[in-house]
Amino acid sequence: GIQVEQSPPDLILQEGANSTLRCNFSDSVNNLQWFHQNPWGQLINLFYIPSGTKQNGRLSATTGATERYSLLYISSSQTTDSGVYFCAVVTGGGNKLTFGTGTQLKVEL
Amino acid sequence: DAGVIQSPRHEVTEMGQEVTLRCKPISGHNSLFWYRQTMMRGLELLIYFNNNVPIDDSGMPEDRFSAKMPNASFSTLKIQPSEPRDSAVYFCASSLAWRAFFGQGTRLTVV
């Protein structure tokens, strides 16, 4: 099956810093989403971005479908950004989302 | 919309007992997914439905697990008999046109 690798696995930031999270996948995809799992365990859908670039407030994402990667940018990080960030992809037909291993982010004061 | 609703939020049961997890998807969504999350294996897709029909159940670990979707607004995941290795957080998600939204999960502990 498709492999989804995320980097870095762990990241610690000072509040106000910017960061870039990366997602690499081993096959072409027709669906890519980014999720944030907050410290209470809730999974929040951040972006649906199979290609191109999108922005939502301090967050933006870009996907290079041909190059098989996606990036999530967090600007002016806040403590509420802490948690685990997952990318998830669908390849081929169907609707089966395969999740990456996640990036654990901690934002400190 | 209230989002995806799962119940119970927490379940503690003894090994060998039957466990039923419940999910109400977002109204109008036509796909429903059951995921399991553990530290060792991360987020794994167990089964998903399109228009109430099971499409891919290749992630269901064994015959002890079963899932049903009798109508567009309700799904169950049943484990019978439960085992300690089934302890995990079970998520239900629903989607329309690709984008998936998750419930708050059920934390299952089998002792």
Side-chain angles (χ1 to χ4, degrees), chain A residues 61-79:
Chain A
T62 188
T63 296
T66 302
E67 299 86 356
R68 299 181 184 174
Y69 76 94
S70 184
L71 302 174
L72 178 69
Y73 304 97
I74 305 174
S75 64
S76 304
S77 58
Q78 302 176 358
T79 55

PDB file of all heavy atoms in Angstrom, chain A residues 61-79:
ATOM      1  N   ALA A  61      -1.181  25.668   3.371  1.00  0.00           N
ATOM      2  CA  ALA A  61      -0.698  24.366   2.922  1.00  0.00           C
ATOM      3  C   ALA A  61      -0.483  24.406   1.423  1.00  0.00           C
ATOM      4  O   ALA A  61      -1.179  25.123   0.701  1.00  0.00           O
ATOM      5  CB  ALA A  61      -1.686  23.256   3.287  1.00  0.00           C
ATOM      6  N   THR A  62       0.476  23.625   0.992  1.00  0.00           N
ATOM      7  CA  THR A  62       0.731  23.491  -0.428  1.00  0.00           C
ATOM      8  C   THR A  62       1.029  22.041  -0.740  1.00  0.00           C
ATOM      9  O   THR A  62       1.704  21.359   0.031  1.00  0.00           O
ATOM     10  CB  THR A  62       1.892  24.399  -0.874  1.00  0.00           C
ATOM     11  OG1 THR A  62       1.990  24.385  -2.282  1.00  0.00           O
ATOM     12  CG2 THR A  62       3.206  23.989  -0.249  1.00  0.00           C
ATOM     13  N   THR A  63       0.512  21.560  -1.870  1.00  0.00           N
ATOM     14  CA  THR A  63       0.740  20.177  -2.287  1.00  0.00           C
ATOM     15  C   THR A  63       1.310  20.155  -3.683  1.00  0.00           C
ATOM     16  O   THR A  63       0.742  20.774  -4.596  1.00  0.00           O
ATOM     17  CB  THR A  63      -0.571  19.367  -2.238  1.00  0.00           C
ATOM     18  OG1 THR A  63      -1.024  19.300  -0.893  1.00  0.00           O
ATOM     19  CG2 THR A  63      -0.358  17.946  -2.760  1.00  0.00           C
ATOM     20  N   GLY A  64       2.414  19.444  -3.827  1.00  0.00           N
ATOM     21  CA  GLY A  64       3.004  19.174  -5.135  1.00  0.00           C
ATOM     22  C   GLY A  64       2.639  17.757  -5.515  1.00  0.00           C
ATOM     23  O   GLY A  64       3.329  16.810  -5.125  1.00  0.00           O
ATOM     24  N   ALA A  65       1.548  17.613  -6.234  1.00  0.00           N
ATOM     25  CA  ALA A  65       1.034  16.264  -6.499  1.00  0.00           C
ATOM     26  C   ALA A  65       2.025  15.432  -7.318  1.00  0.00           C
ATOM     27  O   ALA A  65       2.242  14.240  -7.032  1.00  0.00           O
ATOM     28  CB  ALA A  65      -0.306  16.357  -7.211  1.00  0.00           C
ATOM     29  N   THR A  66       2.642  16.062  -8.303  1.00  0.00           N
ATOM     30  CA  THR A  66       3.591  15.336  -9.155  1.00  0.00           C
ATOM     31  C   THR A  66       4.834  14.940  -8.370  1.00  0.00           C
ATOM     32  O   THR A  66       5.378  13.841  -8.538  1.00  0.00           O
ATOM     33  CB  THR A  66       3.986  16.192 -10.362  1.00  0.00           C
ATOM     34  OG1 THR A  66       2.809  16.544 -11.084  1.00  0.00           O
ATOM     35  CG2 THR A  66       4.924  15.429 -11.288  1.00  0.00           C
ATOM     36  N   GLU A  67       5.261  15.853  -7.504  1.00  0.00           N
ATOM     37  CA  GLU A  67       6.463  15.595  -6.704  1.00  0.00           C
ATOM     38  C   GLU A  67       6.163  14.751  -5.464  1.00  0.00           C
ATOM     39  O   GLU A  67       7.076  14.343  -4.747  1.00  0.00           O
ATOM     40  CB  GLU A  67       7.077  16.934  -6.273  1.00  0.00           C
ATOM     41  CG  GLU A  67       7.515  17.813  -7.433  1.00  0.00           C
ATOM     42  CD  GLU A  67       6.386  18.674  -7.977  1.00  0.00           C
ATOM     43  OE1 GLU A  67       5.228  18.530  -7.498  1.00  0.00           O
ATOM     44  OE2 GLU A  67       6.634  19.498  -8.875  1.00  0.00           O
ATOM     45  N   ARG A  68       4.894  14.513  -5.185  1.00  0.00           N
ATOM     46  CA  ARG A  68       4.446  13.641  -4.097  1.00  0.00           C
ATOM     47  C   ARG A  68       4.847  14.164  -2.717  1.00  0.00           C
ATOM     48  O   ARG A  68       5.458  13.439  -1.900  1.00  0.00           O
ATOM     49  CB  ARG A  68       4.954  12.209  -4.304  1.00  0.00           C
ATOM     50  CG  ARG A  68       4.446  11.597  -5.601  1.00  0.00           C
ATOM     51  CD  ARG A  68       4.915  10.195  -5.797  1.00  0.00           C
ATOM     52  NE  ARG A  68       4.487   9.664  -7.085  1.00  0.00           N
ATOM     53  CZ  ARG A  68       4.855   8.495  -7.573  1.00  0.00           C
ATOM     54  NH1 ARG A  68       5.665   7.718  -6.884  1.00  0.00           N
ATOM     55  NH2 ARG A  68       4.404   8.094  -8.741  1.00  0.00           N
ATOM     56  N   TYR A  69       4.475  15.420  -2.452  1.00  0.00           N
ATOM     57  CA  TYR A  69       4.716  15.967  -1.139  1.00  0.00           C
ATOM     58  C   TYR A  69       3.652  17.015  -0.830  1.00  0.00           C
ATOM     59  O   TYR A  69       2.976  17.544  -1.722  1.00  0.00           O
ATOM     60  CB  TYR A  69       6.112  16.611  -1.037  1.00  0.00           C
ATOM     61  CG  TYR A  69       6.199  17.954  -1.706  1.00  0.00           C
ATOM     62  CD1 TYR A  69       6.011  19.127  -0.985  1.00  0.00           C
ATOM     63  CD2 TYR A  69       6.438  18.050  -3.072  1.00  0.00           C
ATOM     64  CE1 TYR A  69       6.056  20.364  -1.601  1.00  0.00           C
ATOM     65  CE2 TYR A  69       6.477  19.282  -3.704  1.00  0.00           C
ATOM     66  CZ  TYR A  69       6.287  20.432  -2.967  1.00  0.00           C
ATOM     67  OH  TYR A  69       6.319  21.645  -3.586  1.00  0.00           O
ATOM     68  N   SER A  70       3.520  17.300   0.460  1.00  0.00           N
ATOM     69  CA  SER A  70       2.688  18.410   0.897  1.00  0.00           C
ATOM     70  C   SER A  70       3.365  19.068   2.093  1.00  0.00           C
ATOM     71  O   SER A  70       4.048  18.394   2.869  1.00  0.00           O
ATOM     72  CB  SER A  70       1.285  17.937   1.286  1.00  0.00           C
ATOM     73  OG  SER A  70       0.450  19.033   1.622  1.00  0.00           O
ATOM     74  N   LEU A  71       3.183  20.377   2.191  1.00  0.00           N
ATOM     75  CA  LEU A  71       3.759  21.147   3.285  1.00  0.00           C
ATOM     76  C   LEU A  71       2.663  21.895   4.032  1.00  0.00           C
ATOM     77  O   LEU A  71       1.746  22.439   3.407  1.00  0.00           O
ATOM     78  CB  LEU A  71       4.787  22.154   2.752  1.00  0.00           C
ATOM     79  CG  LEU A  71       5.966  21.595   1.956  1.00  0.00           C
ATOM     80  CD1 LEU A  71       6.791  22.735   1.383  1.00  0.00           C
ATOM     81  CD2 LEU A  71       6.821  20.690   2.825  1.00  0.00           C
ATOM     82  N   LEU A  72       2.768  21.914   5.336  1.00  0.00           N
ATOM     83  CA  LEU A  72       1.862  22.707   6.175  1.00  0.00           C
ATOM     84  C   LEU A  72       2.699  23.769   6.877  1.00  0.00           C
ATOM     85  O   LEU A  72       3.675  23.443   7.554  1.00  0.00           O
ATOM     86  CB  LEU A  72       1.161  21.818   7.209  1.00  0.00           C
ATOM     87  CG  LEU A  72       0.216  22.539   8.183  1.00  0.00           C
ATOM     88  CD1 LEU A  72      -1.015  23.048   7.438  1.00  0.00           C
ATOM     89  CD2 LEU A  72      -0.211  21.606   9.316  1.00  0.00           C
ATOM     90  N   TYR A  73       2.319  25.033   6.673  1.00  0.00           N
ATOM     91  CA  TYR A  73       3.025  26.148   7.281  1.00  0.00           C
ATOM     92  C   TYR A  73       2.197  26.696   8.441  1.00  0.00           C
ATOM     93  O   TYR A  73       0.998  26.936   8.293  1.00  0.00           O
ATOM     94  CB  TYR A  73       3.239  27.280   6.269  1.00  0.00           C
ATOM     95  CG  TYR A  73       3.951  26.895   5.006  1.00  0.00           C
ATOM     96  CD1 TYR A  73       3.230  26.589   3.861  1.00  0.00           C
ATOM     97  CD2 TYR A  73       5.333  26.864   4.953  1.00  0.00           C
ATOM     98  CE1 TYR A  73       3.875  26.250   2.685  1.00  0.00           C
ATOM     99  CE2 TYR A  73       5.990  26.528   3.770  1.00  0.00           C
ATOM    100  CZ  TYR A  73       5.253  26.223   2.647  1.00  0.00           C
ATOM    101  OH  TYR A  73       5.905  25.882   1.481  1.00  0.00           O
ATOM    102  N   ILE A  74       2.879  26.889   9.552  1.00  0.00           N
ATOM    103  CA  ILE A  74       2.241  27.525  10.710  1.00  0.00           C
ATOM    104  C   ILE A  74       3.024  28.798  10.999  1.00  0.00           C
ATOM    105  O   ILE A  74       4.236  28.746  11.256  1.00  0.00           O
ATOM    106  CB  ILE A  74       2.248  26.613  11.949  1.00  0.00           C
ATOM    107  CG1 ILE A  74       1.591  25.264  11.631  1.00  0.00           C
ATOM    108  CG2 ILE A  74       1.531  27.291  13.110  1.00  0.00           C
ATOM    109  CD1 ILE A  74       1.677  24.254  12.762  1.00  0.00           C
ATOM    110  N   SER A  75       2.372  29.935  10.933  1.00  0.00           N
ATOM    111  CA  SER A  75       3.044  31.200  11.216  1.00  0.00           C
ATOM    112  C   SER A  75       2.594  31.730  12.574  1.00  0.00           C
ATOM    113  O   SER A  75       1.489  31.438  13.032  1.00  0.00           O
ATOM    114  CB  SER A  75       2.747  32.229  10.124  1.00  0.00           C
ATOM    115  OG  SER A  75       1.371  32.533  10.110  1.00  0.00           O
ATOM    116  N   SER A  76       3.493  32.474  13.197  1.00  0.00           N
ATOM    117  CA  SER A  76       3.198  33.091  14.505  1.00  0.00           C
ATOM    118  C   SER A  76       2.530  32.096  15.447  1.00  0.00           C
ATOM    119  O   SER A  76       1.425  32.317  15.947  1.00  0.00           O
ATOM    120  CB  SER A  76       2.304  34.326  14.307  1.00  0.00           C
ATOM    121  OG  SER A  76       2.887  35.241  13.425  1.00  0.00           O
ATOM    122  N   SER A  77       3.212  31.002  15.694  1.00  0.00           N
ATOM    123  CA  SER A  77       2.627  29.898  16.450  1.00  0.00           C
ATOM    124  C   SER A  77       2.147  30.332  17.841  1.00  0.00           C
ATOM    125  O   SER A  77       2.715  31.237  18.465  1.00  0.00           O
ATOM    126  CB  SER A  77       3.622  28.749  16.577  1.00  0.00           C
ATOM    127  OG  SER A  77       4.805  29.189  17.216  1.00  0.00           O
ATOM    128  N   GLN A  78       1.089  29.678  18.292  1.00  0.00           N
ATOM    129  CA  GLN A  78       0.502  29.918  19.596  1.00  0.00           C
ATOM    130  C   GLN A  78       0.441  28.601  20.373  1.00  0.00           C
ATOM    131  O   GLN A  78       0.489  27.520  19.766  1.00  0.00           O
ATOM    132  CB  GLN A  78      -0.903  30.505  19.438  1.00  0.00           C
ATOM    133  CG  GLN A  78      -0.936  31.807  18.658  1.00  0.00           C
ATOM    134  CD  GLN A  78      -2.333  32.330  18.425  1.00  0.00           C
ATOM    135  OE1 GLN A  78      -3.320  31.712  18.805  1.00  0.00           O
ATOM    136  NE2 GLN A  78      -2.427  33.502  17.798  1.00  0.00           N
ATOM    137  N   THR A  79       0.314  28.709  21.674  1.00  0.00           N
ATOM    138  CA  THR A  79       0.297  27.488  22.491  1.00  0.00           C
ATOM    139  C   THR A  79      -0.869  26.581  22.099  1.00  0.00           C
ATOM    140  O   THR A  79      -0.777  25.358  22.204  1.00  0.00           O
ATOM    141  CB  THR A  79       0.203  27.828  23.984  1.00  0.00           C
ATOM    142  OG1 THR A  79      -0.936  28.657  24.222  1.00  0.00           O
ATOM    143  CG2 THR A  79       1.472  28.556  24.449  1.00  0.00           C
TER     144      THR A  79
END
